[in-house]
Amino acid sequence: MLNQFTVDRFFKVGVSVVLVGLLAACASGSKAPKPAELGANPALLGVRTVWKAQVGKVDFPLAVSTSANAVTLASSDGNVSSLDAQTGASLWRIKLDTQISAGVGSDGVYAAVVTRDNQLVTMVAEGELWRTRLSSQVFTPPLVAGERVFVLGADRVVSAFDARSGKKLWSNQRPGEALVLRQAGALLAVNNTLVVGLSGRLVGLNPLTGNVVWDAPLATPRGTNDIERLVDLVAGVSREGHVVCARAFQAAVGCVNTSQGNVIWKQPASGGVGLSGDEKLVYGVEADGKLMAWRLSDGVLTWTSERLRYRQPGTPLVLGRSVVVGDNTGIIHFMARADGTPLTRLPTDGSAIVATPVVVGTTLVAVTRNGTVFGFQPE
């Protein structure tokens, strides 16, 4: 049975319909579990707010791009902004003429988003460079790397464009299931390989040609209907050298050796948000809010914390001795990497943390659904 947390998370490929009615029917009659009580703030870690900025409300799967001393982000209404990570000062701001469905991808020079009318738009600080129409909706932020813009569509078409001119360089389409998640998928560069999540598989592509280099299955579709068979890989991957770890939606977590293209390990897991990791552990949040840590080398479960249960925490971030997690009430939790015990927590503006927090230099940056951007300084 699906709970209310899953409503609005699915997209029917080829038909722009969200399965709200079906999922709401599954959720009706079930009372949401009570979130775990937080208790007193332990305040074992000093963190202070150093700046705040406003970019506008965010109701799409936002990714905050980092480069040098800047963060680049966007609001739903088409504002794309670059901020100084140390001060929060605006470096540049571009207002598009349409709403945004996915972004932001940036390499520090080029920034790219996808609009709700399926247009890929690429910009520089001086303004818009070019735009082109795509074959389907997009929920995954474009990847900008090597003066190319890579796009993963809801129809599972992976495309590459020249960042300067907008010329389409290649596309690769693979068959998949009828449903995809209405949230960001896995798309990243690992050395000279473009790594993409396609259904339950992590696939390595040649970024120059789009040809498949390797194909590593993390989860296999099962069940009797489209929802039960959905095993999309979600955004938020952990990378340590050539090892990339990812989550298959409500199915599994696992790690792949990208230099060899083989699965190192995989374990059953029921979460819907991404992973973060360090040289020893991989951290993730289950659907019920449990924070878990698996051993990077072999996937053995090392510890589980129920301190954030039913608080709908998002994708974690490893920072110093902490695992940083934002929840749907706008609280940012700092949990110990060693065992998941609370270290401290910070309030924001009361709305959900909508993107995985990022670190630029010594500044931790978080964004809320109401569009407030916070710069924090851990001590």
Side-chain angles (χ1 to χ4, degrees):
M1 184 70 67
L2 297 169
N3 60 32
Q4 190 64 42
F5 184 55
T6 63
V7 175
D8 284 332
R9 299 187 77 176
F10 303 95
F11 176 78
K12 184 76 171 177
V13 177
V15 182
S16 299
V17 175
V18 187
L19 303 183
V20 176
L22 173 60
L23 298 177
C26 292
S28 62
S30 60
K31 190 174 181 179
K34 184 180 179 181
E37 295 290 340
L38 295 177
N41 187 352
L44 299 175
L45 185 68
V47 185
R48 60 191 178 92
T49 303
V50 291
W51 57 263
K52 288 194 293 185
Q54 186 69 34
V55 295
K57 289 190 176 182
V58 180
D59 62 3
F60 69 96
L62 171 70
V64 180
S65 289
T66 65
S67 57
N69 193 42
V71 290
T72 305
L73 60 163
S75 61
S76 299
D77 62 3
N79 283 307
V80 184
S81 304
S82 184
L83 306 177
D84 185 296
Q86 294 298 314
T87 66
S90 177
L91 300 176
W92 54 261
R93 185 181 182 99
I94 297 171
K95 171 64 174 172
L96 301 180
D97 56 1
T98 184
Q99 293 189 324
I100 294 174
S101 68
V104 175
S106 177
D107 63 355
V109 177
Y110 303 99
V113 299
V114 179
T115 67
R116 292 192 179 180
D117 57 356
N118 304 345
Q119 292 191 82
L120 170 63
V121 183
T122 297
M123 298 151 280
V124 292
E126 294 76 18
E128 182 179 325
L129 273 181
W130 53 267
R131 63 175 64 194
T132 188
R133 188 167 296 278
L134 302 171
S135 59
S136 78
Q137 286 191 264
V138 173
F139 308 117
T140 303
L143 172 67
V144 183
E147 296 199 339
R148 288 175 169 82
V149 180
F150 301 97
V151 179
L152 170 61
D155 56 0
R156 293 184 175 84
V157 173
V158 184
S159 304
F161 300 84
D162 184 279
R164 294 184 180 182
S165 66
K167 178 183 177 182
K168 189 172 185 178
L169 303 175
W170 55 259
S171 64
N172 180 307
Q173 182 169 16
R174 296 181 34 113
E177 301 300 321
L179 289 184
V180 296
L181 285 172
R182 189 180 281 272
Q183 70 182 68
L187 180 64
L188 68 155
V190 180
N191 299 324
N192 294 321
T193 304
L194 178 66
V195 178
V196 187
L198 297 171
S199 295
R201 316 177 77 85
L202 206 59
V203 180
L205 302 179
N206 183 325
L208 301 179
T209 64
N211 294 333
V212 175
V213 179
W214 50 261
D215 187 326
L218 290 180
T220 302
R222 296 178 179 179
T224 58
N225 58 58
D226 290 340
I227 295 176
E228 291 175 348
R229 292 177 58 82
L230 183 62
V231 290
D232 268 355
L233 301 190
V234 301
V237 300
S238 170
R239 179 189 172 190
E240 283 293 318
H242 58 269
V243 177
V244 170
C245 303
R247 179 187 294 277
F249 179 73
Q250 293 188 349
V253 296
C255 294
V256 171
N257 183 323
T258 60
S259 63
Q260 301 174 4
N262 63 289
V263 176
I264 302 172
W265 60 264
K266 52 186 174 181
Q267 295 284 4
S270 61
V273 296
L275 308 173
S276 184
D278 55 33
E279 68 280 0
K280 294 181 179 180
L281 298 174
V282 179
Y283 308 92
V285 174
E286 295 295 273
D288 63 0
K290 290 195 298 286
L291 180 62
M292 305 177 72
W294 297 269
R295 201 157 60 198
L296 175 65
S297 59
D298 56 13
V300 171
L301 183 63
T302 302
W303 55 256
T304 299
S305 171
E306 298 197 6
R307 301 298 186 97
L308 304 180
R309 201 165 189 194
Y310 303 122
R311 302 194 67 86
Q312 297 185 17
T315 299
L317 167 74
V318 173
L319 176 61
R321 62 190 178 104
S322 306
V323 180
V324 181
V325 188
D327 71 19
N328 73 327
T329 66
I331 297 175
I332 299 177
H333 304 266
F334 291 72
M335 317 294 284
R337 283 165 60 177
D339 57 10
T341 57
L343 297 176
T344 194
R345 60 178 179 266
L346 302 171
T348 56
D349 64 4
S351 64
I353 304 298
V354 292
T356 306
V358 298
V359 175
V360 182
T362 58
T363 305
L364 172 69
V365 179
V367 186
T368 70
R369 186 169 303 282
N370 285 343
T372 310
V373 188
F374 289 81
F376 299 106
Q377 192 78 49
E379 298 174 355

